[in-house]
Amino acid sequence: MPILDEPKYPVIDAEPSISRVVSNFNASDWQTWAGSTAGTAVLGYLSTSGAYRMHRPSAVMGGIVGGLGGYMIAYQRSWGRLVGLNENSADVAANQPRFSRMPFE
């Protein structure tokens, strides 16, 4: 994926893999994902006021759509921190190498 803006923060990984991006999710990303899933499931349930039999399918569909949307938002935020487009001071500190020099030099 090409980056059109210059990174404003230190770059941790210029081309992160999907597993690297997902493993970099922080608590805020997980809250965004869970909150959008739960919120849209409730919204789907409440949107069918007249049809009694449609409450559950609407809630399930709302949860699925909200879950996918929340995942995409969390993924974008995590990816932006890894490539240096979003503020990433906590991630930079967590990804520092353990050794100041290579062992056995």
Side-chain angles (χ1 to χ4, degrees):
M1 176 181 295
I3 299 174
L4 302 177
D5 296 333
E6 290 295 320
K8 299 174 190 164
Y9 302 98
V11 176
I12 298 171
D13 190 350
E15 295 182 12
S17 64
I18 293 173
S19 61
R20 174 77 190 256
V21 174
V22 173
S23 67
N24 191 52
F25 279 11
N26 59 18
S28 175
D29 296 329
W30 290 107
Q31 289 171 352
T32 299
W33 190 2
S36 66
T37 303
T40 54
V42 170
L43 185 64
Y45 183 85
L46 296 175
S47 67
T48 55
S49 60
Y52 172 73
R53 293 182 154 204
M54 292 305 293
H55 285 301
R56 186 173 294 156
S58 296
V60 169
M61 193 62 202
I64 290 170
V65 170
L68 290 173
Y71 172 77
M72 289 180 202
I73 292 169
Y75 188 93
Q76 182 179 12
R77 290 170 50 176
S78 177
W79 181 84
R81 286 192 307 271
L82 287 172
V83 297
L85 296 177
N86 297 339
E87 198 280 319
N88 61 359
S89 60
D91 297 320
V92 169
N95 288 303
Q96 290 295 325
R98 288 192 248 176
F99 302 105
S100 59
R101 62 179 181 83
M102 293 298 291
F104 308 116
E105 281 187 351

